Amino acid sequence: MIYPELHFTGQVWRPPYEANSQLLQLTSGCTWHKCKFCTLYHGTPFRMSPLTEVEEDLKVIRRWQPRARRVYLTGANPFALSYNKLMDVALLLRKYLPRMVSFGMFARVTDIVPKSIEELRNLRHLKLDGINIGIETAHDPTLERMNKGYHASDILEQLSKLDEAGIRYNVFYLNGLGGQGNGEASAIATADVLNKLHPCIINIVSLTIFPESRLYQEVADGTYIEEPEIERLVEMRTFIDRLNIRVNLLGHHISNTVPVTGALPDDKTAMLREFDKAIAQFPEEELKACRNRIWHL
């Protein structure tokens, strides 16, 4: 028997908590492709899947997973599509998967800008619930240096729109991105912005530089100095300590030399204790050796 294939091209990523979601490609590659540190979609140009292609995939999914309750739309930032195109996709999801409870996707902060709160509410009404956003940091000097294309004020303004529209969202914080000497400033700036918002999950990933990135060349040239491992631990500790919102924190990514997970504020004391122990116990060389063994995220 020949099984039909879905239209997946390039790299396919999804957060760990979307493991049970039905994946459906809406875009491939990234609309931005300018972040100095990023290699996740290296070599893959941005492409939007035609609606005919999306519908073909949904027919396959309806046959093999007719009871799918959660759909995750893949691509670096499918939320870059216009409101009307996203509405078309949402209506197709409802047509082919009537038991679907919700769908989600990745987004850049800038993808939210052209969408009004009313439009966001309409998308929420059609089951959009769960956007993952790589804010990386709210430290403006670092955002500018890494070519993120927005500032801390944009993070606050755009994610506040999601709060008002009732759309749940999760953010990614990139520990160590500021480089040597900037860890604490990045932690404080980011926590202060997030304390004014309502993310469901904060994912912590630690910067790991790969040869395909522009930042790799800056390290080789000596124009960017990586943040030492102990400073990264202090940064994570400062970040968590500074947060005063109720939020789930996931810091067990392979890039984190001290993995932690928990719910704030209940687990804050225990998590801070883990960092205190690690900072006192582990030498810089041992932690750096762990990072050097990471060959891919």
Side-chain angles (χ1 to χ4, degrees):
M1 182 176 182
I2 299 177
Y3 294 97
E5 296 182 354
L6 300 179
H7 294 86
F8 286 114
T9 55
Q11 304 87 339
V12 178
W13 301 93
R14 52 103 180 128
Y17 37 81
E18 297 286 355
N20 293 324
S21 301
Q22 170 62 54
L23 302 184
L24 172 66
Q25 180 174 285
L26 185 54
T27 63
S28 55
C30 178
T31 60
W32 185 245
H33 269 312
K34 296 179 183 179
C35 300
K36 288 185 178 181
F37 58 87
C38 187
T39 59
L40 290 180
Y41 297 90
H42 177 72
T44 301
F46 177 77
R47 174 183 180 269
M48 182 183 73
S49 300
L51 277 181
T52 53
E53 194 174 280
V54 173
E55 191 162 13
E56 288 175 12
D57 284 353
L58 281 170
K59 289 177 181 178
V60 173
I61 294 170
R62 180 176 62 180
R63 178 181 179 186
W64 297 98
Q65 294 288 348
R67 298 187 180 185
R69 296 175 61 81
R70 170 77 174 173
V71 175
Y72 197 75
L73 304 175
T74 67
N77 58 322
F79 204 60
L81 271 60
S82 69
Y83 163 72
N84 288 332
K85 289 179 180 177
L86 288 172
M87 285 292 285
D88 289 340
V89 172
L91 290 171
L92 282 176
L93 288 170
R94 186 165 72 171
K95 174 183 176 181
Y96 286 98
L97 299 173
R99 298 193 184 194
M100 186 193 73
V101 173
S102 64
F103 70 96
M105 67 191 82
F106 284 116
R108 278 177 47 82
V109 170
T110 53
D111 297 339
I112 308 168
V113 174
K115 299 171 179 70
S116 69
I117 292 175
E118 181 181 0
E119 290 172 339
L120 292 171
R121 284 176 176 156
N122 291 340
L123 289 168
R124 176 65 189 92
H125 179 71
L126 288 181
K127 309 302 184 183
L128 171 60
D129 193 27
I131 299 178
N132 293 281
I133 307 168
I135 64 168
E136 323 306 0
T137 180
H139 184 236
D140 278 339
T142 300
L143 288 171
E144 291 172 3
R145 178 166 189 177
M146 295 298 157
N147 288 337
K148 283 301 296 182
Y150 55 79
H151 294 93
S153 58
D154 301 308
I155 297 173
L156 181 58
E157 180 180 357
Q158 299 309 316
L159 272 59
S160 292
K161 288 166 62 177
L162 298 181
D163 281 331
E164 190 169 347
I167 296 177
R168 295 189 302 170
Y169 58 91
N170 312 308
V171 300
F172 285 79
Y173 176 65
L174 192 50
N175 183 48
L177 187 61
Q180 186 177 46
N182 294 307
E184 187 172 17
S186 180
I188 292 172
T190 309
D192 287 352
V193 167
L194 292 178
N195 281 337
K196 300 173 184 176
L197 296 166
H198 301 88
C200 292
I201 298 173
I202 298 175
N203 300 273
I204 299 179
V205 179
S206 193
L207 176 68
T208 307
I209 303 174
F210 296 106
E212 297 83 5
S213 69
R214 291 173 58 191
L215 196 57
Y216 184 88
Q217 188 58 50
E218 291 192 10
V219 172
D221 295 341
T223 55
Y224 177 86
I225 301 176
E226 291 186 72
E227 193 170 312
E229 297 298 327
I230 296 297
E231 184 181 349
R232 295 185 193 215
L233 297 183
V234 174
E235 177 182 343
M236 286 182 70
R237 189 196 189 285
T238 300
F239 176 62
I240 294 170
D241 191 33
R242 186 97 173 179
L243 288 168
N244 59 26
I245 53 176
R246 287 197 169 275
V247 67
N248 294 308
L249 194 145
L250 298 182
H252 60 317
H253 191 268
I254 189 175
S255 63
N256 294 323
T257 56
V258 177
V260 292
T261 61
L264 300 182
D266 297 351
D267 298 324
K268 178 183 285 192
T269 300
M271 285 191 283
L272 296 181
R273 190 182 303 122
E274 287 298 312
F275 284 109
D276 290 337
K277 288 167 53 180
I279 292 168
Q281 177 180 355
F282 296 116
E284 175 73 24
E285 296 75 17
E286 184 176 336
L287 295 173
K288 185 62 177 178
C290 290
R291 183 160 316 283
N292 289 339
R293 288 194 291 268
I294 300 174
W295 63 275
H296 200 282
L297 295 181

